[in-house]
Coordinates of all heavy atoms in Angstrom, one line a residue:
M20 N 22.4 53.9 3.0 CA 23.1 55.1 2.6 C 22.1 55.8 1.6 O 21.5 55.1 0.8 CB 24.4 54.7 1.9 CG 25.2 56.0 1.6 SD 26.8 55.6 1.0 CE 27.6 54.7 2.2
H21 N 22.1 57.1 1.7 CA 21.2 57.9 0.9 C 21.5 57.7 -0.6 O 22.7 57.5 -1.0 CB 21.4 59.3 1.3 CG 20.3 60.2 0.7 ND1 20.5 60.8 -0.6 CD2 19.1 60.6 1.1 CE1 19.4 61.5 -0.8 NE2 18.6 61.4 0.2
G22 N 20.5 57.7 -1.5 CA 20.7 57.4 -2.9 C 21.7 58.3 -3.6 O 22.5 57.8 -4.4
T23 N 21.7 59.6 -3.3 CA 22.7 60.5 -4.0 C 24.1 60.1 -3.6 O 25.0 60.2 -4.5 CB 22.4 61.9 -3.7 OG1 22.4 62.2 -2.3 CG2 21.1 62.4 -4.3
R24 N 24.3 59.7 -2.4 CA 25.7 59.3 -2.0 C 26.1 58.0 -2.7 O 27.3 57.9 -3.2 CB 25.8 59.2 -0.5 CG 25.7 60.6 0.2 CD 26.0 60.5 1.7 NE 24.9 59.9 2.4 CZ 23.9 60.6 2.9 NH1 23.8 61.9 2.8 NH2 22.9 60.0 3.6
L25 N 25.2 57.1 -2.9 CA 25.5 55.9 -3.6 C 25.7 56.2 -5.1 O 26.6 55.7 -5.7 CB 24.3 54.9 -3.5 CG 24.1 54.2 -2.2 CD1 22.9 53.4 -2.2 CD2 25.4 53.3 -1.9
D26 N 25.0 57.2 -5.6 CA 25.2 57.6 -7.0 C 26.6 58.2 -7.2 O 27.3 57.8 -8.1 CB 24.2 58.7 -7.4 CG 22.8 58.2 -7.6 OD1 22.6 57.0 -7.8 OD2 21.8 59.0 -7.5
V27 N 27.0 59.0 -6.2 CA 28.4 59.6 -6.3 C 29.4 58.5 -6.3 O 30.4 58.5 -7.1 CB 28.6 60.6 -5.2 CG1 30.0 61.0 -5.1 CG2 27.7 61.8 -5.3
L28 N 29.3 57.5 -5.4 CA 30.2 56.4 -5.3 C 30.2 55.7 -6.7 O 31.3 55.3 -7.1 CB 29.9 55.5 -4.2 CG 30.2 56.0 -2.8 CD1 29.7 55.1 -1.7 CD2 31.7 56.2 -2.6
E29 N 29.1 55.5 -7.2 CA 29.0 54.8 -8.5 C 29.7 55.6 -9.6 O 30.4 55.0 -10.4 CB 27.5 54.5 -8.9 CG 27.4 53.6 -10.1 CD 27.9 52.2 -9.9 OE1 27.9 51.7 -8.8 OE2 28.3 51.7 -11.0
W30 N 29.4 56.9 -9.7 CA 30.0 57.7 -10.7 C 31.5 57.7 -10.6 O 32.2 57.8 -11.6 CB 29.4 59.1 -10.6 CG 28.0 59.3 -10.9 CD1 27.2 58.4 -11.6 CD2 27.1 60.3 -10.4 NE1 25.9 58.9 -11.6 CE2 25.8 60.0 -10.8 CE3 27.3 61.4 -9.6 CZ2 24.7 60.8 -10.5 CZ3 26.3 62.2 -9.2 CH2 25.0 61.9 -9.7
L31 N 32.0 57.8 -9.4 CA 33.4 57.8 -9.2 C 34.2 56.5 -9.5 O 35.4 56.5 -9.5 CB 33.8 58.3 -7.8 CG 33.4 59.8 -7.5 CD1 33.7 60.2 -6.1 CD2 34.2 60.7 -8.5
K32 N 33.4 55.5 -9.7 CA 34.1 54.2 -10.2 C 34.7 54.5 -11.5 O 35.8 53.9 -11.8 CB 33.0 53.1 -10.4 CG 32.8 52.3 -9.2 CD 31.9 51.1 -9.6 CE 31.4 50.3 -8.5 NZ 30.5 49.2 -8.9
D33 N 34.1 55.3 -12.4 CA 34.6 55.6 -13.7 C 34.3 57.1 -14.0 O 33.4 57.4 -14.7 CB 33.8 54.7 -14.8 CG 34.4 54.9 -16.2 OD1 35.4 55.6 -16.3 OD2 33.8 54.3 -17.1
P34 N 35.1 57.9 -13.4 CA 34.9 59.4 -13.5 C 35.0 59.9 -14.9 O 34.2 60.8 -15.2 CB 36.0 60.0 -12.5 CG 37.0 58.9 -12.4 CD 36.3 57.6 -12.6
A35 N 35.8 59.3 -15.7 CA 36.0 59.8 -17.1 C 34.7 59.6 -17.9 O 34.3 60.4 -18.8 CB 37.1 59.1 -17.8
A36 N 33.9 58.6 -17.5 CA 32.6 58.3 -18.2 C 31.5 59.2 -17.7 O 30.5 59.4 -18.4 CB 32.3 56.9 -18.1
H37 N 31.6 59.7 -16.5 CA 30.5 60.4 -15.8 C 30.6 61.9 -15.7 O 29.7 62.6 -15.4 CB 30.2 59.8 -14.5 CG 29.7 58.4 -14.6 ND1 28.4 58.1 -14.9 CD2 30.3 57.2 -14.4 CE1 28.2 56.8 -15.0 NE2 29.4 56.2 -14.7
F38 N 31.9 62.4 -15.8 CA 32.1 63.8 -15.6 C 32.9 64.4 -16.8 O 33.7 63.6 -17.4 CB 32.9 64.0 -14.3 CG 32.2 63.6 -13.1 CD1 32.5 62.4 -12.5 CD2 31.2 64.3 -12.6 CE1 31.8 61.9 -11.3 CE2 30.5 63.9 -11.4 CZ 30.8 62.7 -10.8
P39 N 32.7 65.7 -17.0 CA 33.5 66.3 -18.1 C 35.0 66.3 -17.8 O 35.4 66.2 -16.7 CB 33.0 67.7 -18.2 CG 32.1 67.9 -17.0 CD 31.8 66.6 -16.4
R40 N 35.8 66.4 -18.9 CA 37.3 66.4 -18.7 C 37.7 67.6 -17.9 O 37.1 68.7 -18.0 CB 37.9 66.5 -20.1 CG 39.4 66.2 -20.1 CD 39.8 66.1 -21.5 NE 41.2 65.8 -21.6 CZ 42.2 66.8 -21.5 NH1 41.8 68.0 -21.4 NH2 43.4 66.5 -21.5
Q41 N 38.6 67.4 -17.0 CA 39.1 68.5 -16.1 C 40.5 69.0 -16.6 O 41.3 68.2 -17.1 CB 39.3 68.0 -14.7 CG 38.0 67.5 -14.1 CD 38.2 66.9 -12.7 OE1 37.6 67.3 -11.8 NE2 39.1 65.9 -12.6
R42 N 40.7 70.2 -16.5 CA 42.0 70.8 -16.9 C 43.0 70.4 -15.8 O 42.7 70.4 -14.6 CB 42.0 72.3 -17.0 CG 41.3 72.8 -18.2 CD 41.4 74.3 -18.3 NE 40.3 74.9 -17.7 CZ 40.2 76.1 -17.1 NH1 41.3 76.8 -17.2 NH2 39.1 76.5 -16.6
R43 N 44.2 70.0 -16.2 CA 45.4 69.8 -15.4 C 45.3 68.6 -14.5 O 46.3 68.2 -13.9 CB 45.6 71.0 -14.5 CG 45.9 72.3 -15.1 CD 46.2 73.4 -14.1 NE 46.2 74.7 -14.7 CZ 45.3 75.6 -14.4 NH1 44.4 75.4 -13.6 NH2 45.4 76.8 -15.0
V44 N 44.2 68.0 -14.3 CA 44.1 66.9 -13.3 C 43.4 65.7 -14.0 O 42.4 65.8 -14.6 CB 43.3 67.3 -12.1 CG1 43.1 66.1 -11.1 CG2 44.0 68.4 -11.4
D45 N 44.0 64.5 -13.8 CA 43.5 63.2 -14.3 C 42.4 62.7 -13.3 O 42.7 62.5 -12.2 CB 44.6 62.2 -14.5 CG 44.1 60.8 -14.9 OD1 42.9 60.7 -15.3 OD2 44.8 59.9 -14.8
P46 N 41.1 62.7 -13.7 CA 40.1 62.3 -12.8 C 40.2 60.8 -12.3 O 39.8 60.5 -11.2 CB 38.8 62.4 -13.6 CG 39.2 62.3 -15.0 CD 40.6 62.9 -15.1
V47 N 40.9 60.0 -13.0 CA 41.1 58.6 -12.5 C 42.1 58.6 -11.4 O 42.0 57.9 -10.4 CB 41.4 57.7 -13.7 CG1 41.8 56.3 -13.2 CG2 40.3 57.6 -14.7
E48 N 43.2 59.3 -11.6 CA 44.3 59.3 -10.7 C 44.0 60.2 -9.5 O 44.3 59.8 -8.3 CB 45.6 59.8 -11.4 CG 46.8 59.8 -10.4 CD 48.0 60.2 -11.1 OE1 48.1 60.4 -12.4 OE2 49.0 60.5 -10.4
H49 N 43.5 61.4 -9.7 CA 43.3 62.3 -8.6 C 41.9 62.5 -8.1 O 41.6 62.9 -7.0 CB 43.8 63.7 -9.0 CG 45.3 63.7 -9.3 ND1 45.8 63.7 -10.6 CD2 46.4 63.6 -8.5 CE1 47.1 63.7 -10.5 NE2 47.5 63.6 -9.3
G50 N 40.9 62.2 -9.0 CA 39.5 62.3 -8.6 C 38.9 63.5 -9.3 O 39.4 64.1 -10.2
V51 N 37.7 63.9 -8.7 CA 36.9 64.9 -9.3 C 36.6 65.9 -8.2 O 36.4 65.6 -7.1 CB 35.5 64.3 -9.8 CG1 34.6 65.4 -10.3 CG2 35.8 63.2 -10.9
H52 N 36.6 67.2 -8.6 CA 36.3 68.2 -7.6 C 34.8 68.4 -7.4 O 34.0 67.9 -8.2 CB 37.0 69.5 -7.8 CG 36.6 70.3 -9.1 ND1 35.6 71.1 -9.1 CD2 37.1 70.2 -10.3 CE1 35.5 71.6 -10.3 NE2 36.4 71.1 -11.1
A53 N 34.3 69.2 -6.5 CA 32.9 69.3 -6.1 C 32.1 69.9 -7.3 O 30.9 69.6 -7.3 CB 32.8 70.1 -4.9
G54 N 32.7 70.8 -8.1 CA 31.9 71.4 -9.1 C 31.1 70.5 -10.1 O 29.9 70.6 -10.2
P55 N 31.8 69.6 -10.7 CA 31.1 68.6 -11.6 C 30.2 67.7 -10.8 O 29.1 67.4 -11.4 CB 32.3 67.8 -12.2 CG 33.5 68.6 -12.1 CD 33.3 69.5 -10.8
V56 N 30.5 67.4 -9.6 CA 29.6 66.5 -8.8 C 28.3 67.3 -8.5 O 27.2 66.8 -8.7 CB 30.2 66.1 -7.5 CG1 29.2 65.3 -6.6 CG2 31.4 65.2 -7.8
A57 N 28.4 68.6 -8.2 CA 27.3 69.5 -7.9 C 26.4 69.6 -9.2 O 25.2 69.5 -9.1 CB 27.8 70.8 -7.5
A58 N 27.1 69.8 -10.3 CA 26.3 69.9 -11.6 C 25.5 68.7 -11.9 O 24.3 68.7 -12.3 CB 27.2 70.3 -12.7
K59 N 26.1 67.5 -11.7 CA 25.5 66.2 -12.0 C 24.3 66.0 -11.0 O 23.3 65.4 -11.4 CB 26.5 65.1 -12.0 CG 25.9 63.8 -12.6 CD 27.1 63.0 -13.0 CE 26.6 61.7 -13.6 NZ 26.3 61.7 -15.0
L60 N 24.5 66.3 -9.7 CA 23.5 66.2 -8.7 C 22.4 67.2 -8.8 O 21.3 67.0 -8.3 CB 24.0 66.2 -7.3 CG 24.9 65.0 -6.9 CD1 25.6 65.3 -5.6 CD2 24.1 63.7 -6.8
G61 N 22.7 68.4 -9.5 CA 21.7 69.5 -9.5 C 21.6 70.2 -8.2 O 20.5 70.7 -7.8
V62 N 22.7 70.3 -7.5 CA 22.8 71.0 -6.2 C 23.9 72.0 -6.2 O 24.7 72.1 -7.1 CB 23.0 70.0 -5.0 CG1 21.8 69.0 -5.0 CG2 24.3 69.3 -5.1
S63 N 24.0 72.8 -5.2 CA 25.1 73.8 -5.1 C 26.4 73.1 -4.8 O 26.4 71.9 -4.3 CB 24.8 74.8 -3.9 OG 24.9 74.1 -2.7
R64 N 27.5 73.8 -5.0 CA 28.8 73.2 -4.7 C 28.9 72.9 -3.2 O 29.5 71.9 -2.8 CB 29.9 74.2 -5.1 CG 30.2 74.2 -6.6 CD 31.4 75.0 -6.9 NE 31.5 75.1 -8.3 CZ 32.6 75.3 -9.0 NH1 33.7 75.4 -8.3 NH2 32.6 75.3 -10.3
R65 N 28.4 73.8 -2.4 CA 28.4 73.6 -0.9 C 27.7 72.3 -0.6 O 28.2 71.5 0.3 CB 27.8 74.8 -0.2 CG 27.7 74.5 1.3 CD 27.0 75.7 2.0 NE 28.1 76.5 2.5 CZ 28.0 77.6 3.1 NH1 26.9 78.2 3.2 NH2 29.1 78.2 3.6
A66 N 26.5 72.0 -1.1 CA 25.8 70.8 -0.9 C 26.6 69.6 -1.3 O 26.6 68.6 -0.7 CB 24.4 70.8 -1.5
A67 N 27.2 69.7 -2.5 CA 28.0 68.6 -3.0 C 29.2 68.3 -2.1 O 29.5 67.2 -1.8 CB 28.5 68.9 -4.4
R68 N 29.9 69.4 -1.7 CA 31.0 69.3 -0.8 C 30.6 68.6 0.5 O 31.3 67.8 1.1 CB 31.7 70.6 -0.5 CG 32.7 71.0 -1.5 CD 33.6 72.1 -1.0 NE 32.8 73.3 -0.7 CZ 32.5 74.3 -1.5 NH1 32.8 74.2 -2.8 NH2 31.8 75.3 -1.1
T69 N 29.4 68.9 1.0 CA 28.9 68.3 2.3 C 28.8 66.8 2.1 O 29.2 66.0 2.9 CB 27.6 68.9 2.7 OG1 27.7 70.3 2.9 CG2 27.0 68.2 3.9
R70 N 28.2 66.4 1.0 CA 28.1 64.9 0.7 C 29.5 64.3 0.5 O 29.7 63.2 1.0 CB 27.3 64.7 -0.6 CG 25.8 65.1 -0.4 CD 25.0 64.9 -1.7 NE 23.6 65.1 -1.5 CZ 22.9 66.2 -1.7 NH1 23.6 67.3 -2.1 NH2 21.6 66.2 -1.5
L71 N 30.4 65.0 -0.2 CA 31.7 64.4 -0.5 C 32.5 64.3 0.8 O 33.2 63.3 1.1 CB 32.4 65.2 -1.5 CG 31.8 65.2 -2.9 CD1 32.4 66.3 -3.8 CD2 32.1 63.8 -3.6
D72 N 32.4 65.3 1.7 CA 33.1 65.3 2.9 C 32.6 64.2 3.8 O 33.4 63.6 4.6 CB 33.0 66.7 3.6 CG 33.8 67.8 2.9 OD1 34.7 67.4 2.1 OD2 33.5 69.0 3.2
L73 N 31.3 64.0 3.8 CA 30.7 62.9 4.6 C 31.3 61.5 4.2 O 31.8 60.7 5.0 CB 29.2 62.8 4.6 CG 28.6 61.6 5.2 CD1 28.8 61.6 6.7 CD2 27.1 61.5 4.9
L74 N 31.3 61.3 2.9 CA 31.9 60.1 2.3 C 33.4 60.0 2.6 O 33.9 58.9 2.9 CB 31.6 60.0 0.8 CG 30.2 59.8 0.4 CD1 30.0 60.0 -1.1 CD2 29.7 58.4 0.9
T75 N 34.1 61.1 2.7 CA 35.5 61.1 3.1 C 35.7 60.7 4.5 O 36.5 59.9 4.9 CB 36.1 62.5 2.8 OG1 35.9 62.8 1.4 CG2 37.6 62.5 3.1
R76 N 34.8 61.3 5.4 CA 34.9 61.0 6.8 C 34.6 59.5 7.1 O 35.1 58.9 8.0 CB 34.0 61.9 7.6 CG 34.5 63.3 7.8 CD 33.8 64.1 8.8 NE 32.3 64.1 8.7 CZ 31.6 64.9 7.9 NH1 32.2 65.8 7.2 NH2 30.3 64.8 7.8
L77 N 33.7 59.0 6.3 CA 33.4 57.6 6.4 C 34.5 56.7 5.9 O 34.5 55.5 6.1 CB 32.1 57.2 5.7 CG 30.8 57.8 6.3 CD1 29.6 57.6 5.3 CD2 30.5 57.2 7.6
G78 N 35.4 57.3 5.2 CA 36.6 56.5 4.7 C 36.3 55.9 3.3 O 37.1 55.2 2.8
L79 N 35.2 56.3 2.7 CA 34.9 55.7 1.4 C 35.5 56.5 0.2 O 35.6 55.9 -0.9 CB 33.3 55.6 1.2 CG 32.6 54.8 2.3 CD1 31.1 54.9 2.1 CD2 33.1 53.3 2.3
L80 N 35.8 57.7 0.5 CA 36.5 58.6 -0.5 C 37.8 59.1 0.1 O 38.0 59.2 1.3 CB 35.7 59.8 -0.9 CG 34.4 59.5 -1.6 CD1 33.7 60.9 -2.0 CD2 34.5 58.7 -2.9
R81 N 38.8 59.3 -0.8 CA 40.0 60.0 -0.5 C 40.0 61.4 -1.0 O 39.6 61.6 -2.2 CB 41.2 59.3 -1.1 CG 41.4 57.9 -0.6 CD 42.5 57.8 0.3 NE 42.6 56.5 0.9 CZ 43.7 56.0 1.4 NH1 44.8 56.7 1.3 NH2 43.7 54.8 1.9
A82 N 40.4 62.4 -0.3 CA 40.4 63.7 -0.7 C 41.9 64.2 -0.9 O 42.7 63.9 0.0 CB 39.8 64.6 0.3
T83 N 42.2 64.8 -2.0 CA 43.5 65.3 -2.4 C 43.4 66.8 -2.7 O 42.6 67.1 -3.6 CB 44.1 64.5 -3.5 OG1 44.1 63.1 -3.2 CG2 45.5 65.0 -3.8
R84 N 44.2 67.6 -2.1 CA 44.2 69.0 -2.4 C 45.2 69.3 -3.4 O 46.4 69.0 -3.3 CB 44.5 69.8 -1.1 CG 44.3 71.2 -1.2 CD 42.9 71.6 -0.8 NE 42.9 73.1 -0.8 CZ 41.8 73.7 -1.0 NH1 40.7 73.1 -1.3 NH2 41.8 75.0 -1.0
I85 N 44.8 69.9 -4.5 CA 45.7 70.3 -5.6 C 45.3 71.8 -5.9 O 44.2 72.1 -6.3 CB 45.5 69.4 -6.9 CG1 45.8 68.0 -6.5 CG2 46.4 69.9 -8.0 CD1 45.5 67.0 -7.6
R86 N 46.3 72.6 -5.8 CA 46.1 74.0 -5.9 C 45.0 74.5 -5.0 O 45.1 74.3 -3.8 CB 45.9 74.4 -7.4 CG 47.1 74.2 -8.3 CD 46.9 74.7 -9.7 NE 48.0 74.5 -10.5 CZ 48.2 73.5 -11.2 NH1 47.3 72.5 -11.3 NH2 49.3 73.4 -12.0
R87 N 43.9 75.1 -5.5 CA 42.9 75.6 -4.6 C 41.7 74.7 -4.5 O 40.7 75.0 -3.9 CB 42.5 77.0 -5.0 CG 43.6 78.0 -4.9 CD 43.1 79.4 -5.3 NE 42.1 79.4 -6.3 CZ 42.1 80.1 -7.4 NH1 43.1 80.9 -7.6 NH2 41.1 80.1 -8.2
R88 N 41.8 73.5 -5.1 CA 40.6 72.6 -5.1 C 40.9 71.3 -4.4 O 42.0 70.8 -4.4 CB 40.2 72.3 -6.5 CG 39.6 73.5 -7.2 CD 39.0 73.1 -8.5 NE 38.3 74.3 -9.1 CZ 38.0 74.4 -10.4 NH1 38.3 73.5 -11.2 NH2 37.3 75.5 -10.8
T89 N 39.9 70.7 -3.9 CA 40.0 69.3 -3.3 C 39.3 68.4 -4.3 O 38.2 68.6 -4.8 CB 39.2 69.3 -2.0 OG1 39.8 70.2 -1.1 CG2 39.4 67.9 -1.4
Y90 N 40.0 67.3 -4.6 CA 39.6 66.3 -5.6 C 39.3 65.0 -4.8 O 40.0 64.7 -3.9 CB 40.6 66.0 -6.6 CG 40.8 67.2 -7.5 CD1 41.7 68.3 -7.2 CD2 40.2 67.3 -8.8 CE1 41.8 69.4 -8.0 CE2 40.3 68.4 -9.6 CZ 41.1 69.4 -9.2 OH 41.3 70.5 -10.0
Y91 N 38.2 64.4 -5.2 CA 37.7 63.2 -4.4 C 37.8 62.0 -5.3 O 37.3 62.0 -6.5 CB 36.3 63.4 -4.0 CG 36.1 64.6 -3.1 CD1 35.9 65.9 -3.6 CD2 36.2 64.5 -1.7 CE1 35.8 67.0 -2.7 CE2 36.1 65.6 -0.8 CZ 35.9 66.8 -1.4 OH 35.7 67.9 -0.5
R92 N 38.3 60.9 -4.8 CA 38.3 59.6 -5.5 C 37.9 58.5 -4.5 O 38.0 58.7 -3.3 CB 39.6 59.3 -6.2 CG 40.7 59.2 -5.3 CD 42.0 59.1 -6.1 NE 43.2 59.2 -5.2 CZ 43.7 58.2 -4.5 NH1 43.2 57.0 -4.6 NH2 44.8 58.4 -3.8
R93 N 37.5 57.4 -5.1 CA 37.1 56.3 -4.2 C 38.3 55.6 -3.5 O 39.3 55.6 -4.1 CB 36.4 55.2 -5.1 CG 35.0 55.6 -5.6 CD 34.6 54.7 -6.7 NE 34.6 53.3 -6.4 CZ 33.6 52.5 -6.1 NH1 32.4 53.0 -6.1 NH2 33.7 51.2 -5.8
D94 N 38.0 55.1 -2.3 CA 39.0 54.3 -1.6 C 38.6 52.9 -1.8 O 37.7 52.4 -1.0 CB 39.1 54.8 -0.2 CG 40.2 54.0 0.6 OD1 40.6 52.9 0.2 OD2 40.7 54.6 1.6
E95 N 39.0 52.2 -2.8 CA 38.5 50.9 -3.1 C 38.7 49.9 -2.0 O 37.9 49.0 -1.8 CB 39.2 50.4 -4.4 CG 38.8 51.2 -5.6 CD 37.4 51.3 -6.0 OE1 36.6 50.4 -5.5 OE2 37.0 52.2 -6.8
V96 N 39.9 50.0 -1.3 CA 40.1 49.0 -0.2 C 39.1 49.2 0.9 O 38.5 48.3 1.4 CB 41.6 49.2 0.4 CG1 41.8 48.4 1.6 CG2 42.6 48.9 -0.7
R97 N 38.8 50.4 1.3 CA 37.9 50.7 2.4 C 36.4 50.3 1.9 O 35.7 49.8 2.7 CB 37.9 52.2 2.7 CG 37.0 52.6 3.8 CD 37.6 52.2 5.2 NE 36.8 52.8 6.2 CZ 36.3 52.2 7.2 NH1 36.6 51.0 7.5 NH2 35.5 52.9 8.0
I98 N 36.1 50.6 0.7 CA 34.8 50.2 0.2 C 34.6 48.7 0.2 O 33.6 48.2 0.6 CB 34.5 50.8 -1.2 CG1 34.4 52.3 -1.2 CG2 33.3 50.2 -1.9 CD1 34.4 53.0 -2.5
A99 N 35.6 48.0 -0.2 CA 35.6 46.5 -0.1 C 35.4 46.0 1.3 O 34.7 45.1 1.6 CB 36.8 45.9 -0.8
E100 N 36.1 46.7 2.3 CA 36.0 46.3 3.7 C 34.6 46.5 4.2 O 34.0 45.7 4.9 CB 37.0 47.1 4.5 CG 38.4 46.7 4.3 CD 39.4 47.6 5.0 OE1 39.0 48.7 5.6 OE2 40.6 47.4 5.0
A101 N 34.0 47.7 3.8 CA 32.7 48.0 4.3 C 31.7 47.0 3.6 O 30.7 46.6 4.3 CB 32.3 49.4 3.9
A102 N 31.8 46.7 2.4 CA 30.9 45.7 1.7 C 31.0 44.3 2.4 O 30.0 43.7 2.7 CB 31.3 45.6 0.3
R103 N 32.2 43.9 2.8 CA 32.4 42.6 3.5 C 31.7 42.7 4.9 O 31.0 41.7 5.3 CB 33.9 42.3 3.7 CG 34.5 41.6 2.5 CD 35.8 41.0 2.7 NE 36.8 42.0 3.2 CZ 37.5 42.8 2.5 NH1 37.4 42.7 1.2 NH2 38.4 43.6 3.0
M104 N 31.8 43.8 5.6 CA 31.2 44.0 6.9 C 29.7 43.9 6.7 O 29.0 43.2 7.5 CB 31.6 45.3 7.5 CG 31.0 45.6 8.8 SD 31.5 47.2 9.5 CE 30.7 48.3 8.4
F105 N 29.1 44.5 5.8 CA 27.6 44.5 5.6 C 27.2 43.1 5.2 O 26.2 42.6 5.6 CB 27.2 45.5 4.5 CG 27.1 46.9 5.0 CD1 28.0 47.8 4.6 CD2 26.1 47.2 6.0 CE1 27.9 49.1 5.1 CE2 26.0 48.5 6.5 CZ 26.9 49.5 6.1
E106 N 28.0 42.4 4.4 CA 27.7 41.0 4.0 C 27.7 40.1 5.2 O 26.8 39.2 5.3 CB 28.6 40.5 2.9 CG 28.3 39.2 2.3 CD 26.9 39.1 1.7 OE1 26.4 40.1 1.2 OE2 26.3 38.0 1.8
K107 N 28.7 40.2 6.1 CA 28.7 39.4 7.3 C 27.5 39.7 8.1 O 26.9 38.7 8.7 CB 30.0 39.7 8.1 CG 31.2 39.1 7.5 CD 32.4 39.5 8.4 CE 33.7 39.0 7.8 NZ 34.9 39.3 8.6
G108 N 27.1 40.9 8.3 CA 25.9 41.2 9.0 C 24.7 40.6 8.4 O 23.8 40.1 9.1
R109 N 24.6 40.7 7.1 CA 23.4 40.1 6.4 C 23.4 38.6 6.6 O 22.3 38.0 6.9 CB 23.5 40.4 5.0 CG 22.2 40.0 4.2 CD 22.2 40.3 2.8 NE 23.0 41.5 2.4 CZ 23.4 41.8 1.2 NH1 22.9 41.1 0.2 NH2 24.1 42.8 0.9
Q110 N 24.5 37.9 6.6 CA 24.6 36.5 6.7 C 24.2 36.1 8.2 O 23.5 35.2 8.4 CB 26.0 36.0 6.4 CG 26.2 36.0 4.9 CD 27.7 35.6 4.6 OE1 28.5 35.5 5.5 NE2 28.0 35.6 3.3
A111 N 24.7 36.9 9.1 CA 24.4 36.6 10.5 C 22.9 36.8 10.8 O 22.3 36.0 11.5 CB 25.2 37.6 11.4
R112 N 22.3 37.8 10.2 CA 20.8 38.0 10.4 C 20.0 36.8 9.8 O 19.0 36.5 10.2 CB 20.4 39.3 9.9 CG 20.7 40.5 10.8 CD 20.0 41.8 10.3 NE 20.1 42.1 8.9 CZ 21.2 42.7 8.3 NH1 22.2 43.1 9.1 NH2 21.2 42.9 7.1
A113 N 20.5 36.3 8.7 CA 19.8 35.2 8.0 C 19.7 34.0 8.8 O 18.8 33.2 8.7 CB 20.5 34.9 6.6
H114 N 20.7 33.8 9.7 CA 20.7 32.6 10.6 C 20.0 32.8 11.9 O 19.9 31.8 12.7 CB 22.2 32.2 10.8 CG 22.9 31.8 9.6 ND1 22.3 31.1 8.5 CD2 24.2 31.9 9.2 CE1 23.1 30.9 7.5 NE2 24.3 31.4 7.9
L115 N 19.5 33.9 12.2 CA 18.8 34.2 13.4 C 17.4 33.6 13.4 O 16.7 33.6 12.3 CB 18.6 35.7 13.7 CG 19.9 36.4 14.0 CD1 19.6 37.9 14.2 CD2 20.5 35.9 15.3
P116 N 16.9 33.0 14.5 CA 15.6 32.4 14.5 C 14.5 33.6 14.5 O 14.8 34.7 15.0 CB 15.5 31.7 15.8 CG 16.6 32.2 16.6 CD 17.6 32.7 15.7
E117 N 13.4 33.3 13.9 CA 12.4 34.4 13.8 C 11.4 34.3 14.9 O 11.2 33.5 15.6 CB 11.6 34.2 12.4 CG 12.5 34.6 11.3 CD 11.8 34.6 10.0 OE1 10.5 34.8 10.0 OE2 12.4 34.4 9.0

């Protein structure tokens, strides 16, 4: 997975520590909208939304629409499932003859 997407997933583990306070929305409960992610990545909101939407389609983020903004937060269950899948693949490759 591309480094910036991994960065985003890491930042969203503890959004209060990595993003400025948001009005009206708790970043831990609802997530973070594309604006702060874009600012932290140094890209446009459109580019940030593209990355966030990809992670959402992969099932690693959950998107919640509140008023006119979409807020993104980690899907911890899905992330754990993906990590287990990669670990199983790594273990299987380790047992293959060279």
Side-chain angles (χ1 to χ4, degrees):
M20 188 177 300
H21 191 272
T23 56
R24 290 186 286 269
L25 287 174
D26 290 340
V27 170
L28 286 173
E29 186 65 30
W30 298 334
L31 290 175
K32 270 187 188 179
D33 185 5
H37 294 282
F38 297 102
R40 192 169 181 276
Q41 300 175 125
R42 283 187 271 155
R43 302 185 190 110
V44 176
D45 177 12
V47 174
E48 182 179 348
H49 298 103
V51 177
H52 66 86
V56 174
K59 193 157 179 88
L60 289 172
V62 300
S63 68
R64 283 183 188 213
R65 174 180 260 173
R68 273 194 304 271
T69 298
R70 290 177 172 95
L71 292 164
D72 289 342
L73 172 65
L74 291 169
T75 302
R76 285 193 309 276
L77 291 172
L79 302 175
L80 295 182
R81 297 255 175 156
T83 304
R84 188 91 173 149
I85 300 174
R86 294 188 178 93
R87 295 184 328 232
R88 290 188 172 160
T89 302
Y90 293 83
Y91 300 88
R92 62 185 169 86
R93 290 168 50 106
D94 185 333
E95 297 297 343
V96 171
R97 182 77 170 133
I98 290 171
E100 289 172 355
R103 279 192 301 275
M104 182 179 68
F105 282 110
E106 185 58 33
K107 284 181 184 177
R109 186 178 336 165
Q110 290 173 354
R112 283 192 311 276
H114 298 324
L115 291 176
E117 291 186 26

